[in-house]
Amino acid sequence: MLRWGEFTVINKVITLLFVSLLVISSPTVLYAESSLEQLNETIASYQTNLIKRAIEVRDELKRVNEVETALSKQYNMPLSEILRYETTLSYLDGVYTSHHYLLATMNNDNSDLYDDEKLANLIQVKPPYTFEYYFDLIQHFNYYKGWLENIGSMIADANRYAGELAVAKNSLEEEYRKLLERYDNSPTDRVKYKLKIIICQSQLERCYAEAQYLDAQVNAHSSLVSSIKDKITAIDPIIKNVREIMGKTEIDYAVFDNIVAKSIAEIDREIDKLNVRYRELSQTESSHAQTRKFQRYCTATEKKHIKTEILSLIEMKDLWMGVRMMLRNIGDILHNDSEHIGMADREAAAEFIKNMSERCKQGERYLRTQLDEVRQTYQDVNDVNNGNLWVVTPEDVAVRNRLYSEMSERIARYGHIIIMYNGVNEYIDILSNEIQKENDMANADRQTGALLRDDFVSILDREVWHIDDYPITVLKIIQACLVFVGVFVITRIITFFLRKRFRQNHVRNNVARLVVYLIFLIGMLIAFLIVLWVLHIPLTAFAFVGGAVAIAVGFGAQKTIGDILSGVLLLIQNNLRVGDSISIDGKAGVIQEISLFNTIMRCNESEILIIPNSRVIDAPILNSTLNNYIVREQIRIEISDENNIDRAREIICSVLQESSYVLKKPTYRVLLSEYKNGTAEFLIHVFIDTEHSIRDAITCSIRLEIINKLLENGIAAARPCADITLFDGNAKENK
């Protein structure tokens, strides 16, 4: 009779022997050491019977999973490498099984028989066409179009992944050759390299099997493309034809109203049930009947989820009502029953549908988040239950089971609501496309009258901003601009006639300019106040900028204010006038304009000099025409002493007498100032009027007249000469 201890030892020895046998035998079931070429041929042969190979891989996975720890120790490898091998086997099982069912579906696919029959019936429908029929066509068209896009995307992804598999396969083949070499050259480590070779072989098989599966997918999807394109080609012209000639009946609206009514009634029933449950939980909570912490937690959690579900259902109800309203609106637009539906109303409908679509997507995303939260709550309650933290009494168990039941039902209801969101979103997408088409057609077909009636009026009535409850529209802004322009034009007309009257009455230019400036500023102030009145903007609206304006005037506008005050002083003092010949800071010229900010002077070099008025007031100025515009000018003329001096003087006097530039009173004078070095110089004193011309220009004109007249009479200009004395070494002086 064996003792218990001896029996335990024998049992351990038998178990160890059994595990060792599994370790030695199990990894060699699928693969054997072979060259890369032989391995590829073997893997290729597996593709002829996919299910058989999937069963073999599945059995191997089961055996390795049972002894994975022993394998890790036996081959002296990390357990993660064994798990990597198991993951590869599991993936291989899925690839072979998927490939098998894909081929079976391609050979005998009857899943689209009903859809094909329904499409054939739709195509055969004869006029008159209804709105419901048009809607069915749109749904089928969108379904096939989306299907075609998905196929194109899947084919592109498959081709891209096939390229990645080719790269991975090349790397694995290189690694496999290295492992075979190490296996042959390392007798002591052959056990470890044997398992590595097996793992690498499984990964190579995975690459090959995946590539074959992707190729089958591409072939299957490519065979569908032409069929789907044919269906789209068949539906598209029918849709265009139906859109043009379909009629509208109350039966169409009744069908959609029935769909919406059923959905809303279902939502109302769910809301009523949830409200009843919420009141029950609130009564239980307020009666303090639940003393256990777990019971209070379950009640609060369920109430929170009920509120979330009710709000989601109310949002869904609102979306269904919006869909119903938009169905009616689009029906009116499509059939042109309402002439008052202008472009602004069409655009508003398009914007409304866009907002509904966004709300629908946001609601679905929010509901999915809440669904995750319900699952998390389920997991939390499950953790509490497993840890025996709060669930102790039978009442706790009953509350837990009730919460489990409610959460399971809520998860199912959330899934149903998400399906409803998808249905609403499908309707919204169709409505959005239809109204966009209609708006595009309306934009292309509208005439000028319709444009003025719809768009122009809507633009004029558009609110830009508001003052309290008073809207400021585009029309009011245009009116204010017209008023401002009108007052501006009237002010300019008034100042024009004032200038003309001032000139007739010989009012000083400075005074006239000052008065014109003041009247212009007063007119602009009146225009500004009228604009504020038209726009209903109170003056108190500008009170908040008073401090900022004061600071700006006090610091930033000192120079500007100084220039304005200086300009007013210049205009009042009349020390400088337009047309005066002045010299300031070394610059000489004639004043062209005196404004409130600066003085503009044309220099003798015809340059324009703009001087701030504050600088004009501070700088010393030489005004040659302050008292009047008559100035005396000196002109020097040189002639050769070989000429007749008296004759030259007579010619000069005749030129001065006939010249329009020279004043006859005071009279001019012609003096012989110098006579030396073969030159006779005449100094001419003349008086000229500089009111309407520049001083230097007048002097230049007189000089040119004299020179031209002298040349005409044969009197040559002076040629200066000098005595030159030359010396050499022998003579004292040679001249």
Side-chain angles (χ1 to χ4, degrees), residues 638-641 643 678-679 707 710-711 714-720:
E638 294 180 351
I639 63 174
S640 174
D641 59 357
N643 297 309
T679 301
I707 293 173
L710 290 172
L711 292 175
I715 298 177
R719 294 183 177 87

Side-chain angles (χ1 to χ4, degrees), residues 385-421:
N385 181 48
N386 293 336
N388 294 324
L389 298 177
W390 290 347
V391 183
V392 179
T393 64
E395 290 81 3
D396 293 338
V397 175
V399 171
R400 180 204 63 193
N401 293 338
R402 175 63 185 268
L403 182 61
Y404 277 163
S405 176
E406 290 289 341
M407 285 191 295
S408 298
E409 294 176 1
R410 182 160 291 109
I411 290 174
R413 288 197 300 270
Y414 277 5
H416 181 62
I417 296 174
I418 290 174
I419 294 174
M420 292 178 69
Y421 268 119

Side-chain angles (χ1 to χ4, degrees), residues 410-520:
R410 182 160 291 109
I411 290 174
R413 288 197 300 270
Y414 277 5
H416 181 62
I417 296 174
I418 290 174
I419 294 174
M420 292 178 69
Y421 268 119
N422 292 330
V424 172
N425 199 37
E426 182 181 4
Y427 278 108
I428 290 174
D429 288 341
I430 295 175
L431 294 175
S432 177
N433 292 332
E434 288 304 305
I435 200 166
Q436 186 62 44
K437 292 178 184 177
E438 185 64 25
N439 289 347
D440 293 341
M441 293 172 60
N443 279 325
D445 296 338
R446 280 185 305 161
Q447 302 298 323
T448 305
L451 176 64
L452 294 175
R453 184 179 61 253
D454 296 335
D455 290 347
F456 188 69
V457 174
S458 63
I459 291 174
L460 291 180
D461 290 337
R462 187 170 299 171
E463 180 180 336
V464 180
W465 76 89
H466 63 274
I467 303 295
D468 294 332
D469 293 331
Y470 184 78
I472 307 298
T473 62
V474 175
L475 178 61
K476 290 185 175 65
I477 293 176
I478 294 175
Q479 291 174 345
C481 292
L482 291 176
V483 168
F484 184 85
V485 171
V487 175
F488 176 80
V489 171
I490 293 173
T491 304
R492 297 295 292 182
I493 293 173
I494 292 173
T495 55
F496 172 77
F497 284 107
L498 279 176
R499 287 193 186 97
K500 186 176 180 181
R501 190 63 181 269
F502 287 157
R503 283 196 298 268
Q504 292 175 354
N505 295 333
H506 302 289
V507 178
R508 289 188 306 166
N509 287 340
N510 293 349
V511 176
R513 284 177 175 274
L514 181 59
V515 173
V516 168
Y517 278 135
L518 291 176
I519 292 176
F520 180 77

Side-chain angles (χ1 to χ4, degrees), residues 645-701:
I645 304 301
D646 293 332
R647 177 60 180 161
R649 187 176 183 278
E650 289 176 2
I651 293 172
I652 293 173
C653 289
S654 65
V655 171
L656 296 178
Q657 185 66 31
E658 295 173 0
S659 176
S660 60
Y661 298 107
V662 180
L663 298 178
K664 306 308 181 284
K665 290 183 180 180
T667 185
Y668 55 84
R669 290 192 299 169
V670 180
L671 305 174
L672 182 61
S673 60
E674 287 189 7
Y675 187 85
K676 63 179 181 179
N677 295 330
T679 301
E681 181 184 81
F682 288 99
L683 179 61
I684 304 170
H685 293 169
V686 294
F687 290 89
I688 59 177
D689 188 355
T690 60
E691 182 177 4
H692 303 294
S693 184
I694 299 176
R695 179 176 179 177
D696 290 344
I698 297 174
T699 304
C700 178
S701 298

Side-chain angles (χ1 to χ4, degrees), residues 152-214:
S153 177
M154 286 188 291
I155 291 176
D157 292 340
N159 291 330
R160 176 185 54 79
Y161 188 46
E164 296 176 358
L165 283 176
V167 175
K169 185 173 179 291
N170 291 334
S171 299
L172 288 171
E173 288 177 349
E174 181 179 350
E175 181 182 354
Y176 183 72
R177 285 190 290 267
K178 292 179 180 179
L179 288 174
L180 288 178
E181 181 182 4
R182 292 170 185 170
Y183 178 81
D184 294 336
N185 297 332
S186 303
T188 57
D189 293 332
R190 283 191 173 184
V191 175
K192 180 177 69 173
Y193 283 119
K194 179 180 180 180
L195 184 58
K196 286 188 175 183
I197 289 173
I198 293 174
I199 295 174
C200 188
Q201 288 172 335
S202 66
Q203 292 172 344
L204 281 169
E205 183 180 1
R206 171 184 170 178
C207 288
Y208 189 90
E210 272 196 284
Q212 295 297 314
Y213 176 55
L214 289 175

